[in-house]
Every structure is written in structure tokens, then in C-alpha cells.
Amino acid sequence: GPVPGLASTHGRPSQLTAVGDRVFFNAFNELWVSDGSGPGSVRLKSFAQPGLPEALTAAGGRLFLIANDGQGSELWTSDGTAAGTRALTQFAPATPFPAVTDSFDPWVFKVAGGLVYFIVNDVLHEDELWRSDGTTAGTFAVTDFDFHQPFGDDFGYGFFAVVGDRFLFQATDGFEIPALWVTTGTRDSTRPLADECPSCALPRVGGVGSGLVSTGIRLLFPAALPDNTHGGIWTSDGTARGTRQLDCGGTCGNLFSDPVAGSGGLYFNTTSRSGLDLWFTDGTTAGTHRLTAFPQGGSDAAQVRYSLPVRTPDGRFFFNVYNRDHSSRDLWISRGTPASSQLFLSATDLVLESSPHDLRPLGERLFFLACGPEIGLWETTGSAASTVSVWTEPSSYCDSTAAPYGLTAVGDTLFFLSREGSEHDQLWRTGPAGPVRLTDFAAGRSIVFRQPVVLGGRIYFEVHTDSPYQSEVWRSDGTAQGTVKAFEISGGRLEHMVAVGDELYLLVADSTQRIWRSDGTPAGTREILNAGSGFLEFFYEGDEILFARLGARVFFTALGSSDKPEIWETDGTAAGTHRVAELPERASPNKLQSWGLVAFQGALYFFAGQGNRAELWRSDGTQFGTFLLRAFEDPGFYRRERGLTPFGGALYFAASGGQEGEELWRTDGTPAGTVPVRDISPGAESSSPASFTVAAGRLYFAATEPVHGRELWESDGTATGTRLVQDIAPLASSSAPADLTVAGGRLYFAADDGLAGRELWALSLTGTGCQPSPAHLCLGDGRFQVEIAWQDFEGNAGAGTAVPLTGDTGYFWFFDPANVEAVVKVLDGQGLNGHQWVFYGALSNVEYTVTVIDTQTGLSRRYRNPSGVFASVGDTEGFGPRGAYSTAPAAAPRIPATAPRAERSAAAPAGSCQAGPERLCLNGGRFAVEVAWKDFQGNTGRGQAVPLSGDTGYFWFFDAANVELVTKALDGTALNGKFWFFYGALSNVEYRITVTDTTTGKTKTYTNPAGRFASVGDTAAF
């Protein structure tokens, strides 16, 4: 959770640097230290220059940094106290070049042997290498080159490295060619590496390519001897005798790139005889291997390039291998030897997300485009079963040339464009028997890539003919016979077309710009405005010129010769088209712009501005009735999805008033009524509301908040009614909802929950609270929605099936209804600590994720169980007074199986289990299970048994509605000759489980100490 007491930092903490058990960080221009608590969080120093301090570095148990206290940049150190935060350098004023005292390079700030090394120009000398041990006396230059560029033009980018306690760098004094130097922090130890061994054949030429790369114990760098012989890749342990050319049989070239330090060596890319390949070296000839050898010839499918490798915690490396045209890539794995390098997952097998986009409602249905193993057009009514393919083609990418685009809904028909089965884009529509092609344009005539326009139950779209060039407007009623040319554009090129009421307005361009008006027929199509030789520039938003109808008149905005926005009106005739208002002269000489023209409640609203200034204006279509409502900072380029959305008697939009970032605003058409709704991301940060959509009496949008990232929000127009709908990705930074679209009583959008990738989501607009379903539980009196996603050891994945037990508890099965896998409980603990509590216990060790959603606040918590772990979790701070306590996952501890007592033979003869109030009979009545408990006050009792299936049952201790322990017995003899016993706890009191095999008379006991949540899987129980 957030550290209390740090709100006064007034800035985003950055450069967090651990020194011992404390963390230092920069907040705006202040240095802070914290031990993780409010009282232990202290401001140490405020500096003069915003953005500093920088280069925070831990060395020798202290913090080092570069900071400016008003006299130029200096080296500072801190021991975590205000008194111990002090400057270590005090360079002379640099008259007449004061900027010289700021010539630290924060990229060259490295630690070796408890010392910090850095490059600085101290005014008296040129750039030199310095070191510091945290004392003034121990802060001094270790070089004295007296040369203006001893480290080259771009020092700090790969030409400095640490090997053990040695600091190595490339430098020259201006007389000798660049060489590899070494120091241990004294002036006497600072010398060219070759000076340590004059008889050694060491490179004198400075590095190229990626410079010096270190694993901490070895160095890798490209170089050559002074006579340019033995050019190639060299390795060093930091000493002269340990520096030698890497012998790879002459096959690994003389340059390398993208080095990655691995356990005991380096992975790197280099050009070899087979092309660009991946290599590994531990610095020895025997330990240098080429891991890939991809062919270079002929086939476009030949794999020739790959990306930067990524190391896993168990020492393996994953890397991508691309084919020649980069249209696909495969995932490879390696342990650092040629034999271990192999294909892990083919691109054709890897589908991470469908990336839904272009959502279009059509009655109760939603159509959308999606990618994956197939790209194409899909439809849904809001369930997985109803989501079916309308039109697809095999493809790994979303940019297939035959993919549909330009989705447009009219009545009960969806139109789209595609070049499937043709060399040119054609018009298609959906139909009962599948998609139907409506056009068959040959070479020389093509549909322009633009969204079709709907007018009078038909769509209108633009078609070009090549010879002679001609712009044509076509229309379609959904039949091949009704798909015909509507009219031609004479004397110019059609630039834009929009529908306003029952008319089309078109922008035509040749040597000037002209506006046409049309009712869709040749006779009803005419020019109404020709800018002629006068200057007139029209404003666009996306692909549309902006028009708005107000009563019997249509208005649009333009930029006149005085670079001021103008408001024009038309009645559809040339005589009735004229300017009605001009914005007043502004102070800025920059060209003004206008956007967001909306007609609302008898007035026009629009933005105008230049530079970083945006002004919201209102107009009744006259000069006198045109006035400024409020000035803002420019809301950016995403104007269409961020502003001027009618809702509840006001217009809503995203803007910044200056003190806060870009937030949600509204206007009622008066200056006093133009106000912010809520500062969702407090302070100067922006929530950047976007994708405004009105549905079911709410305004829905995407917004960013510091703790939960970019998620789905809603508003009723008040600050208190503006809230998070759901934290869809509580463990990821954001789900980034987009394309909000309403269809059939649902709000659809694309989002990424961090589990399934970017997929289609639906929010019911008719239900309230949690609605029980086979996919989730409703716990805590229906307030909390709980769902589980699982993945087995073979990589198969799915959603758990929910079974409620009580109002607070339920379980999920994954593979078989009789096989309980995980049990979840949500309790109201507000009377004790102000939080809602979440518990879960596992009878399964496959990988799964438990997601708990508070339907009152929309906040979520997510708990992950890694593969191979039996986890029980008791999160007593899961949901606090303000919602989810944090976005961090609760611990799923790796709990070892409780050591059972030794097996013993009971005196009683073999027989069948007799079920009772305190005894479960599992696995066909063979195993009897009983529980004895003791609470934290020392009270004791017996667990009350409730069977669930032939293999599973649970116990309650204190209240029949409060499940405490779930047990399961399975027959695993076909796999390992044993019967298996599992239990998962929703309680942390002390208890003892006794399991008796009534066939053999043998028993086992499992004991849980007080204070522990345990889940156990004993696959050798009997």
C-alpha cells in the first residue's frame, strides 16, 4: 500500500535507490529517505534546480548523487540524515562559462570496490575520471589527461565497465591511440592495462560496436592490435594477463551487438559464416559456442534474425527468431549450449490476444474485427457461445490486405470493404448465408479508403476512376442491383463527405477549396461555396470536415485570411452560405485552430486555440452571441474521443484548467457552469479521460488513476458519482479499455486483464451488483464477484466452474464436477480492522488466478498461485474503507506438506466408514476424516462435517455458514500406487486432521499450528 505521510512530496517519486534497509528517492527537486513507514519518511534536502538530484547511487553503505544547490552541480553524499547530507565537491566558478560546472555525465556513475566513479569537468581541467569514498579527502581525480576529449565524443555509453573491484575504461591522452585503462581507485593504479604486462599482446585500439560489456567477473569487447591484426572479440578478467582474443575458430566475426550477461558468461549477436547468429561465451575457447546457425540463402522462410535474449530465474534464455521478411517469429530456448538451443514455441502456435477493434452495434448484436490464428469479422450478443465468425482468413497479423475494414451498420445490415477474391477493394454486406459481395470493380476504378456515410437508409462511398481521373459518389441499399453511382464530382477531387441530417456535405479541392451539398441525386447536388482566390481553410476532425445542424441552418468553422476562426452558416444554397461570426483577435501570432463543433440545446459549442492554449466557445450563430466560456491547456490530438459529449443536460469533455492535469469537465453553456467534475488523478498528473460513451443513464469512459492504472470509469455528473467501474487488471499497470460501444443492453470494449491479452469485454447495463453465473461466485452478501482462471501442466487453460456453499463461501472445480479444486471465502471484517477479508484454500497445485471484484467500488484484487504450489491465503486487508488495499498480489506461500505422524495399524478390524456429524467418509467410504480444533482463546471443539461429493467434503468450526477446512481423498494407485489426500484451509486456528483408511486400519494426522493458513497435497498418504 502507499506509504502514509508522503503526500507532501508534491511530486512523483523517482530514482528509488536502496541503501541498507532504507530507500532514497527524488521527489521533484527534493531528496527523501524512507524506511517504509510514515514517521520513517524524511525530506533530507531541497535543491535549487527542478529535476535534480539525479544519478542516485549506493556505494559503501552511503548514497551518492549529483545535485545543484544554487552554485552549480556538485557531487553529494548522504547517510540518511539531514546533517549527513552534504556536498563532497566545490568547484570554482566557471566565468565566463558557468554551464561548465554542470558537466557531470549522470550515465557514467559506476561502483567498484565500494567506490563511486564518475566523469566531471572541474573547470580547472578537462573531462577527468574521479572517484569518491564518501569523504571530501577521498574525492579526487584519478586521471590527468589534460586533453579535451580523453574518453571520446560519446563517453558513458558502453565504454566503462566494472570487473571485480577494478574499474576499466577506454581513454586517450591525445597522443596515443585509444586504449583500455584500469584503476582500483588510486592515481598510481590508474594506467593502460597494457602497462601491467609490457610483453603481453594487448589491444591498443578503442572499442567499437557495443563497447565494454561485463558480467561482473569477465569483460567482453571488440578490438584489434595496433597493426590492425587480430581484429575481433576480446575477453578480460580485468588484468593484463587475463586479456586475450576470443578464439571461436574464425567464425564469430569482429563485431558484436545486443550483449546480455548470463550466469557465468555473455550472450551476444555477431556476424558469422552462416549469417547473424546468437553466441555464448564464458571467456574461454572451450566455453564459446554458436547457439544458432540459420541459413542465409534463397527462401523467405529462412530464419536469419532474432531479438535480444531474456534470462529466466532458472538460468535459461528465451529469444525470438524472425523469418526473413519479419512477418512471423518463433520463440526459442537455450541453456547456453548448442544442444540445448531449440524451438520452444512456433509463431503459428502462439495466440496471445485477439485485439478486437472497430466495434459496431447492430440492434442486439455487436460486430467487430479481431486477429489471431484467423483475422476477420465476428459477431456476438454478449456471451462466448454467441460469439461466432462471420468472415475470416488465416493470418498471423491484423494488417492482412484482404482483411475487412470500414464497418458501417444500416438497419439490419452491416457493410464492409475487403479485397477478398479481388485485386481491388470491393463493397460487401452480411447476409443469412454469409457475406455477399456487392461490387466488382476492375482495374482503373477503386473504392477510396474512407468510412462510408449513412443517409436515408443507404450508404454512400467514394469511388475513383483513373483515366480520366474522376471522383464519383456511389450508394448501396444492400443489393447488387441497388449499388449504383449516385453522382459525379466535376472539376475537382473529393476530399471529405459527411451526412448532416438528410443532406450530404462534401469538400472538393482543386486549385481552391469548395463545399458541395447533395440530397444523394445528381439534380440535388450543387456547389454552395467556392473560396476562389480568397484564403479560406476548413477544419477537420479525423477524416471529417466539421458541420453541425442548428434548426434549419447548418454551421461549419473555417480559418479566414486573418488567421482567426470563423463561423459560417448555410441553408443549402450558394446565396444562403456566408460568414456569421469571427473570433476576436488573440495575442498569439500562431495560426488558430478550431475543433469539436457540436450543436447542443439551441447553441453551438467548439474549441479554438493555438500552441498549448485551448478555449471553449459558445455561439448562437451570431457575432454578438459568440463568447468564450473557459480557457484551457490544449487537450491534445485525441479530440474526437475526448470531448464535447452531451449527457444529462450538459456537455462533458477532457481538459486541463492549469492547476490539475487533463481531467473530466462539464459545461452547461455558462462560464460559471464550466467546471471540473472530479480530479481523478490528483495534482498535476492527468487521468486523460477518453472514449466517452453514454449508456443507461451513465457516462462511461477510460481514465488513468495512479494506483490502478488506466481502467473503465463511469459518472452521473457529480464528483461522488464519478467512480471506477472495475479494476480489470489489478496486477498489471492498466487494462486500457478502448472502443466503448453500446449494443443490446451491454457496454462492449476491448481491454487487457493481464491474463488473456487484449480481448472483447462486455458490461451488463441492466443488472446491479454481482449476478451469479457458472463462471463466478457472489460472496459477501452478493457484493463480491469471484472468478478463477486456471492452466494445467500441459498448458491447457480455462475458467473454473463456480459452486456456492454459503453466502460467504463457495468452491470451484476445473476438470470434473466431483473434484473440488479451490475454495474461496469473503468475510466482513470492518468491525475489527475496517477491511473486507478474503480467504482461499487450494486442493490443486495447477497454476490458477483468483480474481475478487468489489461490485460496489469496481476495485479488484487478484491472487496468483504458481504451478506446483498448494496455497492457502488469508488476506485480512484485501478491501479497505476506500476499496482494494493495494494492487500487489497477496502472498501465496510455498507451504511444505505437513509431516504426518508415522503410520500405525489400528486395533479395530478393517471395515467401511460410517458418516456422522463430525466425520466425513471419502473415496467411496474408504477414508474417514475427522478434525479437532483449538481457537486463539484456548477453546476446543470438533469440526462439523458436510459432504460435497464422493471424494470431497468440508468442516465448519464456529458457524455453519463459515467454512473453515475442505478435504479431498483421491485414488492415485494407477499413477504411483498410492491414495492421495489434500486439504485447503480458510482458517488459521490450530487444528488436527485425522484420516483413517478403514480398509487397512492405518491412520495419518496432519497438524496446523495457530496463525498459519495451510494447503497440503500428500500424494503418498496411503
Side-chain angles (χ1 to χ4, degrees):
V3 177
L6 289 185
S8 59
T9 59
H10 300 297
R12 177 183 294 173
S14 62
Q15 302 184 67
L16 276 69
T17 304
V19 182
D21 58 358
R22 293 175 297 176
V23 62
F24 291 80
F25 61 91
N26 172 18
F28 192 56
N29 62 335
E30 299 173 346
L31 179 65
W32 284 68
V33 66
S34 177
D35 63 3
S37 68
S41 302
V42 180
R43 182 193 293 109
L44 299 175
K45 180 73 176 176
S46 294
F47 293 97
Q49 183 174 342
L52 294 176
E54 60 182 336
L56 275 62
T57 303
R62 301 183 62 84
L63 180 78
F64 293 83
L65 61 147
I66 300 170
N68 187 337
D69 197 25
Q71 302 298 318
S73 294
E74 304 289 352
L75 178 70
W76 287 66
T77 188
S78 178
D79 61 2
T81 67
T85 302
R86 66 184 192 280
L88 293 173
T89 59
Q90 189 174 2
F91 297 131
T95 306
F97 303 108
V100 173
T101 59
D102 294 334
S103 62
F104 282 88
D105 189 327
W107 297 105
V108 187
F109 224 67
K110 292 184 177 294
V111 177
L115 304 176
V116 62
Y117 291 86
F118 55 97
I119 303 291
V120 70
N121 185 326
D122 66 355
V123 180
L124 302 177
H125 306 82
E126 301 288 348
D127 292 329
E128 300 291 352
L129 178 67
W130 286 59
R131 55 86 88 180
S132 179
D133 61 2
T135 68
T136 303
T139 303
F140 53 82
V142 296
T143 62
D144 187 14
F145 288 114
D146 194 24
F147 177 59
H148 71 288
Q149 285 186 338
F151 307 103
D153 294 334
D154 54 355
F155 65 80
Y157 299 93
F159 299 101
F160 301 83
V162 175
V163 179
D165 63 351
R166 293 187 156 210
F167 184 78
L168 291 98
F169 57 99
Q170 298 179 60
T172 177
D173 58 7
F175 297 99
E176 299 289 339
I177 58 179
L180 188 62
W181 286 59
V182 65
T183 183
T184 57
T186 65
R187 295 185 179 93
D188 292 341
S189 68
T190 306
R191 69 184 78 179
L193 189 63
D195 288 358
E196 290 189 353
C197 180
S199 62
C200 297
L202 295 179
R204 304 287 295 183
V205 176
V208 293
S210 294
L212 310 177
V213 183
S214 174
T215 65
I217 58 175
R218 294 206 67 84
L219 192 69
L220 200 70
F221 60 99
L225 293 179
D227 60 0
N228 287 326
T229 62
H230 297 283
I233 300 172
W234 287 65
T235 182
S236 176
D237 62 1
T239 68
R241 295 189 180 277
T243 302
R244 59 185 176 275
Q245 187 179 12
L246 190 64
D247 185 358
C248 53
T251 63
C252 64
N254 59 3
L255 295 177
F256 70 96
S257 60
D258 299 330
V260 177
S263 178
L266 286 163
Y267 290 78
F268 61 95
N269 298 348
T270 187
T271 303
S272 59
R273 287 182 301 199
S274 69
L276 191 62
D277 283 310
L278 181 64
W279 285 72
F280 175 83
T281 183
D282 62 3
T284 67
T285 299
T288 301
H289 313 289
R290 184 175 61 201
L291 303 179
T292 61
F294 297 125
Q296 294 294 296
S299 172
D300 284 344
Q303 295 166 321
V304 296
R305 291 202 49 90
Y306 52 91
S307 65
L308 189 68
V310 177
R311 186 176 64 218
T312 65
D314 62 358
R316 296 179 298 169
F317 270 75
F318 285 92
F319 56 97
N320 287 120
V321 177
Y322 296 80
N323 66 356
R324 183 178 296 277
D325 64 1
H326 278 219
S327 62
S328 67
R329 59 182 179 181
D330 298 328
L331 185 64
W332 282 59
I333 190 171
S334 177
R335 289 190 179 275
T337 64
S340 69
S341 302
Q342 57 186 322
L343 178 68
F344 182 77
L345 189 63
S346 171
T348 58
D349 300 327
L350 184 62
V351 180
L352 297 179
E353 56 187 21
S354 65
S355 298
H357 54 285
D358 286 7
L359 279 61
R360 296 289 185 271
L362 192 67
E364 294 292 313
R365 295 178 295 169
L366 178 84
F367 288 84
F368 61 97
L369 299 176
C371 310
E374 293 182 324
I375 176 174
L377 178 63
W378 295 72
E379 72 169 285
T380 185
T381 56
S383 67
S386 70
T387 304
V388 296
S389 169
V390 176
W391 181 98
T392 58
E393 66 159 319
S395 177
S396 298
Y397 282 78
C398 276
D399 57 357
S400 166
T401 57
Y405 70 94
L407 274 60
T408 305
V410 182
D412 60 355
T413 302
L414 184 81
F415 294 87
F416 61 93
L417 303 176
S418 173
R419 62 178 57 180
E420 171 68 13
S422 172
E423 295 183 0
H424 307 282
D425 290 330
Q426 307 291 346
L427 180 68
W428 294 68
R429 69 163 175 86
T430 55
V436 178
R437 192 167 80 177
L438 300 175
T439 61
D440 190 17
F441 293 128
R445 176 174 281 178
S446 59
I447 298 176
V448 176
F449 183 85
R450 227 171 254 133
Q451 189 80 21
V453 173
V454 179
L455 181 69
R458 296 179 175 88
I459 67 164
Y460 288 77
F461 55 98
E462 183 183 354
V463 176
H464 280 178
T465 57
D466 296 335
S467 182
Y469 179 86
Q470 181 72 53
S471 286
E472 302 172 349
V473 175
W474 282 58
R475 68 167 180 259
S476 177
D477 61 3
T479 67
Q481 297 79 10
T483 303
V484 296
K485 182 170 66 174
F487 55 88
E488 295 181 355
I489 303 297
S490 59
R493 179 183 67 255
L494 179 59
E495 293 284 344
H496 297 280
M497 177 172 58
V498 296
V500 184
D502 57 356
E503 299 174 320
L504 294 173
Y505 283 84
L506 308 96
L507 178 65
V508 178
D510 46 18
S511 59
T512 184
Q513 289 186 317
R514 297 177 288 156
I515 293 180
W516 288 44
R517 175 265 182 200
S518 178
D519 62 3
T521 67
T525 302
R526 57 182 177 271
E527 181 180 288
I528 60 171
L529 178 64
N530 189 332
S533 59
F535 180 79
L536 195 65
E537 182 179 345
F538 300 101
F539 293 116
Y540 307 94
E541 195 165 291
D543 286 338
E544 295 181 2
I545 188 171
L546 298 177
F547 290 85
R549 178 176 290 278
L550 195 61
R553 298 177 296 170
V554 172
F555 291 85
F556 58 94
T557 56
L559 189 69
S561 57
S562 59
D563 277 353
K564 291 182 290 187
E566 301 171 349
I567 303 174
W568 286 64
E569 72 169 9
T570 180
D571 61 2
T573 67
T577 303
H578 55 89
R579 186 181 70 183
V580 294
E582 180 184 63
L583 268 62
E585 186 72 44
R586 313 308 299 168
S588 173
N590 297 331
K591 179 183 291 188
L592 288 161
Q593 300 180 52
S594 174
W595 64 92
L597 184 65
V598 171
F600 178 66
Q601 294 185 342
L604 299 169
Y605 295 83
F606 61 95
F607 282 100
Q610 70 274 337
N612 63 353
R613 182 181 177 85
E615 300 169 344
L616 179 60
W617 288 76
R618 181 186 189 275
S619 177
D620 62 1
T622 68
Q623 181 71 56
F624 181 77
T626 301
F627 57 90
L628 175 68
L629 290 176
R630 176 70 189 253
F632 300 96
E633 293 183 1
D634 189 346
F637 296 102
Y638 304 99
R639 292 159 181 164
R640 177 188 300 277
E641 65 170 10
R642 294 195 178 188
L644 297 184
T645 301
F647 168 64
L651 286 173
Y652 288 76
F653 56 96
S656 173
Q659 298 301 317
E660 76 292 329
E662 188 178 56
E663 299 292 346
L664 180 64
W665 284 68
R666 73 173 179 216
T667 182
D668 62 3
T670 67
T674 304
V675 294
V677 178
R678 177 179 169 181
D679 190 2
I680 295 172
S681 186
E685 298 299 317
S686 296
S687 69
S688 303
S691 298
F692 294 124
T693 302
V694 177
R698 291 287 189 273
L699 178 70
Y700 290 91
F701 56 95
T704 303
E705 186 264 342
V707 174
H708 303 98
R710 192 160 188 82
E711 297 292 348
L712 182 65
W713 284 67
E714 69 175 14
S715 179
D716 62 1
T718 67
T720 56
T722 301
R723 59 178 287 273
L724 181 70
V725 175
Q726 183 174 324
D727 186 5
I728 296 170
L731 292 189
S733 58
S734 300
S735 70
D739 292 326
L740 276 61
T741 305
V742 179
R746 290 179 173 85
L747 176 69
Y748 294 91
F749 54 94
D752 184 351
D753 67 350
L755 295 175
R758 195 157 189 82
E759 297 294 347
L760 184 66
W761 287 68
L763 172 70
S764 174
L765 299 173
T766 57
T768 57
C770 180
Q771 302 297 316
S773 80
H776 61 254
L777 296 169
C778 294
L779 305 180
D781 294 328
R783 174 175 174 174
F784 294 91
Q785 178 176 308
V786 184
E787 52 199 38
I788 290 185
W790 57 263
Q791 179 172 300
D792 65 16
F793 299 108
E794 286 74 42
N796 304 307
T801 300
V803 180
L805 293 176
T806 70
D808 294 326
T809 310
Y811 69 85
F812 292 86
W813 60 266
F814 299 166
F815 315 108
D816 185 332
N819 194 1
V820 178
E821 303 284 355
V823 187
V824 185
K825 177 169 66 176
V826 179
L827 295 179
D828 187 349
Q830 294 180 91
L832 297 175
N833 70 345
H835 290 72
Q836 301 278 347
W837 301 352
V838 178
F839 305 84
Y840 72 89
L843 304 178
S844 174
N845 65 343
V846 301
E847 179 182 337
Y848 60 87
T849 301
V850 183
T851 301
V852 184
I853 303 165
D854 184 346
T855 61
Q856 287 188 12
T857 65
L859 296 166
S860 305
R861 288 280 277 148
R862 182 166 286 164
Y863 308 86
R864 273 192 176 141
N865 184 75
S867 178
V869 174
F870 288 90
S872 280
V873 166
D875 185 358
T876 57
E877 294 184 333
F879 293 84
R882 292 175 294 175
Y885 183 72
S886 75
T887 58
R894 185 178 295 273
I895 301 174
T898 304
R901 296 178 183 175
E903 296 185 6
R904 61 180 175 83
S905 297
S912 296
C913 174
Q914 299 297 316
E918 298 175 352
R919 181 185 301 119
L920 287 174
C921 294
L922 305 181
N923 200 258
R926 175 167 180 165
F927 294 96
V929 184
E930 299 172 306
V931 178
W933 57 263
K934 181 168 69 174
D935 67 16
F936 296 107
Q937 287 74 43
N939 302 309
T940 61
R942 307 284 297 181
Q944 302 301 299
V946 180
L948 292 176
S949 69
D951 293 328
T952 309
Y954 70 85
F955 292 87
W956 60 268
F957 297 167
F958 315 109
D959 185 333
N962 192 2
V963 178
E964 303 284 354
L965 185 69
V966 184
T967 64
K968 177 168 67 175
L970 296 178
D971 185 352
T973 55
L975 296 176
N976 67 346
K978 300 287 185 178
F979 285 90
W980 303 350
F981 181 72
F982 306 83
Y983 70 89
L986 304 178
S987 175
N988 64 343
V989 301
E990 179 182 338
Y991 55 84
R992 184 180 69 254
I993 306 171
T994 302
V995 186
T996 303
D997 184 344
T998 61
T999 299
T1000 66
K1002 294 181 178 180
T1003 66
K1004 275 191 174 180
T1005 60
Y1006 303 84
T1007 301
N1008 184 74
R1012 187 179 74 168
F1013 288 92
S1015 286
V1016 167
D1018 186 355
T1019 56
F1022 295 91

